Amino acid sequence: MAEEPRWLTPQEQRAWRGFVRLQERLGGRIGRLLQSESNVSPADFAVLVHLTDAPDGRRRPQDLARALEWEKSRMSHHVARMAGRGMVVREECPEDGRGAFVVITDAGRAAIEAAAPRHVAAVRELFIDHVTPAELRVLAEISERVLARMDEDRT
């Protein structure tokens, strides 16, 4: 016999639904701003952020896919579209003939440098300016704890 689901309490449901709605609306609003003002999609921005966070601007496709929680095929198709627009290139890995890297180009760096100021302004305007420093600390702690648990489940 299947175990009975642990249904959410009204308080848990309120918190969960509020979190999901907040995430959806923030993502949608910021995504539309990026697309309309910088011609960078939210997916482009996410890839470019991960590449600019790497010291040499390069990451293996499977590492990018894992970081973004994307399927391998989605990563492959999106990188191909970004390469077609000159934002990234694929480079073969000299140590591993089968492997490759996704590498940010000068055009990719220019795109994220143009989009980042508007992105951070939107993040501040829509979110940061409406919470206290104490609330931000709690949110960071919650996020880090849940993400750590999800990372444990991945291995």
Side-chain angles (χ1 to χ4, degrees):
M1 187 165 111
E3 190 175 314
E4 181 68 23
R6 292 180 50 219
W7 299 111
L8 299 180
T9 67
Q11 180 181 3
E12 291 168 336
Q13 191 171 64
R14 177 178 175 236
W16 175 249
R17 286 186 177 180
F19 169 74
V20 169
R21 187 159 164 75
L22 173 66
Q23 181 184 10
E24 290 169 345
R25 289 189 64 190
L26 279 173
R29 184 91 44 102
I30 292 170
R32 284 189 301 278
L33 282 169
L34 282 173
Q35 188 72 50
S36 68
E37 295 182 14
S38 304
N39 203 29
V40 173
S41 72
D44 294 339
F45 192 81
V47 169
L48 293 172
V49 164
H50 282 280
L51 291 175
T52 57
D53 284 349
D56 56 358
R58 69 182 54 232
R59 293 194 61 183
R60 290 190 179 268
Q62 63 268 27
D63 294 337
L64 273 174
R66 191 175 306 111
L68 294 169
E69 296 279 341
W70 288 3
E71 296 294 325
K72 181 180 174 183
S73 63
R74 179 180 180 189
M75 179 57 61
S76 177
H77 290 294
H78 196 79
V79 165
R81 286 190 297 273
M82 290 179 75
R85 295 191 336 260
M87 299 172 113
V88 299
V89 293
R90 289 182 63 96
E91 289 183 358
E92 297 304 315
C93 175
E95 299 88 38
D96 177 3
R98 298 172 301 144
F101 289 103
V102 177
V103 183
I104 192 168
T105 63
D106 290 342
R109 285 193 190 281
I112 196 165
E113 287 170 5
R118 186 60 185 117
H119 178 267
V120 74
V123 168
R124 285 193 170 285
E125 175 185 322
L126 296 171
F127 183 74
I128 299 294
D129 292 346
H130 304 284
V131 296
T132 67
E135 290 167 331
L136 282 176
R137 282 191 296 280
V138 170
L139 178 61
E141 291 166 5
I142 292 167
S143 299
E144 290 162 0
R145 183 172 57 243
V146 172
L147 289 168
R149 179 68 177 115
M150 291 174 71
D151 288 344
E152 287 173 12
D153 288 346
R154 183 184 289 170
T155 57

